[in-house]
Structures are given as C-alpha cells and as structure tokens.
Amino acid sequence: MTTALARTALLTLLAAMLWAALMMAGRPPAAVPDPGSSAAVAALTSRPADRAAGAVPADFVTDLGYAPRLEGDRLVNPTGSCSSPVPLPPEFEGPCRQHDLGYDLLRHAARSGGALPAAARQQLDAQLVASARASCDGRQGNSHGWCSAWADIAGFFVRVNSLRQHDSTPLPEDALSRSVTGAGALTLVGTAGTLALGGVRLRRRIDWSRVAVRVSGLAPRVSGAAAAVAGFAVSIAPGHLPHGPVLQGGLTAVLVGGSVLLVRALRPGTARLVARCRSWALAGVLAMVLATLGWAQPALSARRLAIGLPPTDLTWWLTVGAVVGAAWLAVRSLRWGWSRRRTAWRPAMVVAMASTAVFSGGPVHGAGTSPEDRVLLQSSPVGAVRAYAEMREGEVPAERAERAADDLVQVGGLEREHVVIAVPTGSGWINPQVVAGLEARFGSQLATVGMQYDDAPSWVSHLFRRDQAVAGTREVFDAVTERVRELPVDQRPQVHVYGESLGASAGQAIFGGPDTRRAHEVCSVLWTGTPGDHRVGLPREAAVANDDDPVVHASPRDLLLPPGDGRPWVPVLSAVHEAADLVGSLDVPDGNGHRYGPDTADRLETCP
C-alpha cells in the first residue's frame, strides 16, 4: 500500500469514527411528548384545514409570534417560504408554508410540554412531498412531469436533512451539528479518495487480460441480463401501494424470473455476442442497472412518504436483494434436486418433516378468542356499551345470535340512542379504529354488538364459506331488531349496520334491496373496503373506499382490460402488482390500502 493511500484510508477511518461519535452524541434524549402539539401535528397531516386550525395549542401564538392562517385547503405559516438554494416551482409556496407551520409546532412542543417523537417529523415531511406533487396537477405534459420531479427532489433533500437531525426538533444549527456535517463530508471525500487511489494501485498490479477471460466465462448472456433489469424495472411500476422489503423482494424475484424465462423462450438458436461486442453490451446493461436504481430510489421513497412511511434506505434495499437472492438459490436448488430426484428424495423428506414439526408448534389462527384481539370484549373508555358473541363449540349460529342480543339487552344497550350491528371479517375481527371513531362521535349513547361467524382468514371465508358469513349476519341482525321491535316506538334506538371487507359483503347480502323488510328496520349502513365496491341502494347508505385499496379496486378483468378509473395500467403486469398489493394491503398507515381509521365513523348517517 502506498503512503498516499495509507494516509488517505487512515484519515477516512478517523473521520468516520468522529462522525459516528458525534451522531451518537447529538441524538436527543427521550421525552414525554406535548399532547397538545402532538394532536395539532396529527390534525395538520390528516384532517381538513379548518379542523387542524382548531387543534393548534392556545399558547402557540404567544410562543411563535404569529397566528396560523387558512389558505385554501391548507393551514400555513403566513410568513413561511421554500428555503431552497435553487428556485422551485411557484406552486410549492403553499406546501412549504404548511411545512413551516408543522416544524414550528415541533419547536413549540420542545419548548413547552416535551419534544414529539420522530414519527411526527416524518409525517410532516411526507405531507410536504404529497402536497407539492398535488400542486403540480394544474400543469400538463412535460411541465407536469418536471414539476413532480422537483417535488421528489425537494422531498429527498428534506428527508436527508431530517435524518441528519435524527428526525428530532428542527432547531438552529449549533457547533455540534456543524461538526457532524463536516465529519460526514470528510468521510465521503476520504472514501472517494481511498477508492480512487486503491483503483490506481490495483490497475497496476492486476493482469486484467486474465481477469477479463475469467469474468467473461462467468458473465450472463446479454439478453438474460437485460431481461432481469427490465423485470426489476416493472416490479417498481405500475404499482399503487408501497411494499415492505420482503414483499417487494418477492415481487421483484417473480417478475425478474418471468422476464428471463420469457426471453429464453423467444431466443432459441440465437448466437451469443462475443469478445468486445459482449463487453460493451454488458457495460450497457450495467448502465441500465444504475439508471434503474437511480430512478427507483426517489420513486419508491416518494410513494412511501406520500402515505406516511419512511423512505427506502440501504437496509431496505439490502433486504430486497437478499430476498431475490434467496429466491434464486431456491429455484437453483429445486432444479438440482429434480435432476437428481432418484437420490435426492430422502434428504428432501427429512427437510419436509422437520419443517412440519417446526411450524406445527405455531399458533392456530382463530383458535381462541381473547380481549386482546376482540375490541368488543374490552370495556369502552367513554362508557359506551359493547357486546360480542364469540364462537363456542357445539353452538349453532342462531343460538350465538340470540346470546349476542341477550347480552346487548342485559348491559343496557337498547337504552342508548344508537345501536350499531358490527359485522366482523372472517376471523371475527372488527376494526377497533372505527369502533373508537363511533364512540368518539356518539359517546355513551352508543351500543355496538357483533357476532363471530367463522374463525378462518377473510379470504378463505370469502371464497369458500360466504354463505356461512351471510347466514350468521342475518341471524344476529334479526335477533337484535326483534328485541328493538318489542320496545315502544318512542323508546326504540336508531339501528345501524357497519361492515368492513367481507363484513361489508355479508352485511349487504342480508338486505337484497331498498324495499325489503330489513331495509326498513335499519336507520343507516356504513360499508368500508367492500370487495368490488358494491352498494345496496339503501336511502342512508355510506361507502368508504381508499383510492389505493386493492380489495375494492382489483379485479380479474384487469389482466387484459384497463380499469377505467384513471389508474396506471399495463396488461398482465398490473394484475401481478394488484396481487402483491392484496398481500401487503394492511402493511400501510390508516387511510391507505385496506386500512380504515377512526375518521371513517364520520360517514355514518343518522335519522331525524
């Protein structure tokens, strides 16, 4: 190792150690967050502007010296601006002023009740990117594309700065933070210098002609490598929901493998490129890889930030790569085993038996019911009534429905103003967020009753036991409404029905139309995440569906026909992405995918 290389490497190591030490020293201590500021940030990032204005702490104006102002559909800092070293599109001024207000709320929290957790700053940064992209909708063509690209670029640098500050309170730069920045910059420069000097040293010592021969023998065919890159690109788009690294890795492995197999089927008899042509072609493929990664990183990060998830980082990408690599090894192992199937069946049998022994010790889904996984078995914090009949051995649905109705009467549910019959999903799950939203709206004048009709995952119940779901829903509805009819007319509560996913489908099936007997016995109904976005047609019927909920919007027809709702669509590929979206539809924050939050309860109508 030359003296210059040794010194550069040593200085880089020292800079990296200094940077790590300063980063650890600059990590803010844990604190109990200020509840008022926490509620204000949550309202600013998820509620309408007028409701966000009402959530701003009373002492905010005194502390920051200004009053937030409504500008259209945004609550903003009237003196805020886009603090960028380069000019940004003028449409970004509103989102920037809104972002400035959010950061001021973080500063107010730190000076009053306690600094907010990192998730608060992450949500504000995600809102900035989403609002900036939305502000570009008034543009057309290339102008819209450039505007959206600037939104992603601005959001990327905002996130880098937030990560540098540990997603903590955005305070003025002090000596420690400036030292962290300097040490980090020195580490990057030193790393680049070390690599450059090391490359020069290696180039002088290595016989590159021999290396080229060996690498040429290991290098894949150009067509297969290009197909793998294309498969990776289409695994990023045209997706709608951002995925975790494991699911994204699985989707990438499927599409990369499918692309390679397709190219192999289309190229029989095609001669390989040789010598310099092959080297240049593989260099072009490598450039395609780098370009695809350069496009995928900001695209995926923007998609994740738009719904409140952290952006992709090195760990995320390494996990994706590990899953793809594991899938490749699994396929290669299967091919090896099949080629030696006469002798490989014995170790394969051992592996299968061991796997069965391991997985048989895991929990059985739906085998038991406990207050921890059934919201209606827990007591209400606002004094509302909750009644729930779980499955019992040897009990038929009619008996279970009578038990649910009797429990509702016994705890005084029919003495409340509103009775909500909540239809669960296949496993008996009722969304606790929606229950919390209903109780926040109606308080102690609400009674919620539910009945478990199955103990299987919803997709199993939907495909194979849908009649069981409908029959159970019909039994509990009739049992509850029968007891309501026994009351004097002026003492009867308003009866509502709420169902989510399979619960919505089962709830709709018991009515049959707006003129049936059951339709006249219910005040209103609320459906969330209904498969296929179906409706009954009742007078007071509300349906809530997230724009990116695959349970609502996905359909087998998307294989060959566009959905017609403006969503990006590519034949076959869109259907593959929708299948992945279905798997990961719950791994997103409320208000996205197949997750519905407490605000959903505001859509339930009441009777005069």
Side-chain angles (χ1 to χ4, degrees):
M1 183 181 292
T2 64
T3 304
L5 179 58
R7 290 176 178 176
T8 304
L10 180 59
L11 289 175
T12 302
L13 179 60
L14 292 176
M17 295 173 62
L18 177 62
W19 173 80
L22 292 174
M23 284 287 289
M24 294 300 296
R27 187 178 298 275
V32 179
D34 173 43
S37 299
S38 179
V41 170
L44 185 66
T45 55
S46 62
R47 300 290 182 92
D50 54 346
R51 298 180 66 177
V56 175
D59 55 346
F60 177 85
V61 177
T62 304
D63 184 19
L64 273 298
Y66 73 90
R69 185 174 68 193
L70 287 172
E71 289 185 358
D73 59 349
R74 296 186 181 94
L75 184 67
V76 304
N77 174 357
T79 61
S81 63
C82 295
S83 54
S84 171
V86 296
L88 295 176
E91 292 92 340
F92 291 4
E93 285 299 321
C96 287
R97 286 197 289 269
Q98 185 183 41
H99 189 250
D100 285 348
L101 172 61
Y103 272 22
D104 283 342
L105 286 170
L106 298 181
R107 297 182 182 101
H108 173 71
R111 289 197 289 257
S112 54
L116 300 187
R121 186 162 179 174
Q122 294 170 2
Q123 291 170 358
L124 291 169
D125 291 348
Q127 183 190 44
L128 172 64
V129 178
S131 298
R133 289 181 65 88
S135 69
C136 298
D137 291 343
R139 299 194 178 195
Q140 301 294 330
N142 292 333
S143 178
H144 179 273
W146 279 110
C147 183
S148 299
W150 273 113
D152 294 337
I153 294 171
F156 171 77
F157 282 102
V158 166
R159 283 303 304 149
V160 168
N161 186 58
S162 295
L163 290 172
R164 183 177 65 86
Q165 297 179 345
H166 305 286
D167 282 322
S168 59
T169 304
L171 297 174
E173 298 288 344
D174 55 10
L176 180 60
S177 61
R178 287 192 293 269
S179 300
V180 170
T181 304
L186 184 59
T187 301
L188 291 176
V189 173
T191 301
T194 302
L195 293 176
L197 292 173
V200 172
R201 181 69 173 174
L202 287 175
R203 187 178 64 181
R204 294 173 179 173
R205 292 193 170 211
I206 294 178
D207 185 353
W208 291 102
S209 60
R210 296 180 60 185
V211 173
V213 172
R214 294 187 178 183
V215 171
S216 178
L218 297 174
R221 293 194 62 166
V222 174
S223 58
V229 178
F232 169 60
V234 297
S235 73
I236 305 301
H240 302 290
L241 276 181
H243 304 310
V246 175
L247 180 56
Q248 182 63 48
L251 176 62
T252 300
V254 169
L255 291 177
V256 166
S259 300
V260 172
L261 290 177
L262 179 62
V263 168
R264 286 183 179 176
L266 296 177
R267 73 175 184 201
T270 304
R272 286 176 177 264
L273 294 176
V274 295
R276 181 170 296 182
C277 291
R278 188 183 186 199
S279 299
W280 281 108
L282 288 175
V285 171
L286 179 59
M288 291 171 53
V289 172
L290 297 177
T292 304
L293 285 172
W295 158 76
Q297 166 64 21
L300 288 174
S301 293
R303 197 183 302 168
R304 291 172 63 83
L305 287 169
I307 65 171
L309 290 173
T312 56
D313 55 14
L314 180 60
T315 302
W316 192 92
W317 282 110
L318 289 176
T319 305
V320 171
V323 173
V324 174
W328 180 80
L329 288 174
V331 171
R332 296 285 295 182
S333 299
L334 289 174
R335 291 178 60 185
W336 176 86
W338 180 253
S339 65
R340 297 164 176 78
R341 54 187 177 275
R342 293 185 177 181
T343 57
W345 68 271
R346 294 182 180 87
M349 183 66 69
V350 173
V351 172
M353 295 175 62
S355 301
T356 303
V358 171
F359 288 113
S360 64
V364 180
H365 180 76
T369 301
S370 65
E372 288 73 20
D373 57 14
R374 297 288 188 270
V375 62
L376 295 187
L377 292 178
Q378 306 174 32
S379 59
S380 168
V382 298
V385 169
R386 297 177 178 181
Y388 186 82
E390 71 277 17
M391 296 181 68
R392 292 179 180 176
E393 186 175 357
E395 185 180 53
V396 299
E399 296 172 342
R400 195 178 312 121
E402 291 294 326
R403 177 160 58 86
D406 289 341
D407 290 346
L408 178 68
V409 174
Q410 183 177 358
V411 295
L414 298 187
E415 300 172 5
R416 310 302 168 99
E417 294 180 3
H418 301 275
V419 172
V420 174
I421 301 174
V423 186
T425 61
S427 62
W429 179 82
I430 296 173
N431 191 339
Q433 297 288 338
V434 177
V435 173
L438 290 170
E439 293 184 351
R441 180 180 174 186
F442 298 115
S444 61
Q445 290 304 313
L446 174 72
T448 307
V449 58
M451 185 193 85
Q452 184 182 10
Y453 52 77
D454 202 352
D455 58 358
S458 284
W459 66 272
V460 175
S461 297
H462 182 71
L463 293 177
F464 307 109
R465 308 179 187 176
R466 192 168 184 274
D467 292 342
Q468 183 175 327
V470 174
T473 304
R474 184 186 302 115
E475 293 287 355
V476 71
F477 180 90
D478 291 344
V480 172
T481 54
E482 179 183 358
R483 284 154 178 78
V484 172
R485 289 195 301 269
E486 295 173 353
L487 299 174
V489 175
D490 59 345
Q491 297 180 16
R492 295 177 183 176
Q494 296 183 17
V495 178
H496 314 271
V497 175
Y498 154 71
E500 181 169 320
S501 193
L502 175 60
S505 296
Q508 293 175 8
I510 71 171
F511 291 105
D515 298 324
T516 58
R517 174 183 63 82
R518 293 188 182 91
H520 292 288
E521 292 183 318
V522 69
C523 167
S524 67
V525 295
L526 172 63
W527 316 123
T528 61
T530 311
D533 201 19
H534 296 298
R535 314 285 174 89
V536 178
L538 300 182
R540 283 178 288 274
E541 180 179 29
V544 180
N546 294 328
D547 293 336
D548 54 2
D549 186 352
V551 175
V552 176
H553 302 292
S555 171
R557 67 187 297 275
D558 294 343
L559 274 168
L560 301 175
L561 297 175
D565 56 5
R567 290 181 293 148
W569 176 81
V570 177
V572 181
L573 286 177
S574 291
V576 175
H577 275 277
E578 287 175 348
D581 290 345
L582 286 170
V583 176
S585 61
L586 294 176
D587 300 328
V588 291
D590 289 340
N592 303 278
H594 199 52
R595 295 186 67 93
Y596 295 88
D599 290 347
T600 304
D602 296 339
R603 296 288 303 277
L604 182 72
E605 298 187 35
T606 58
C607 294

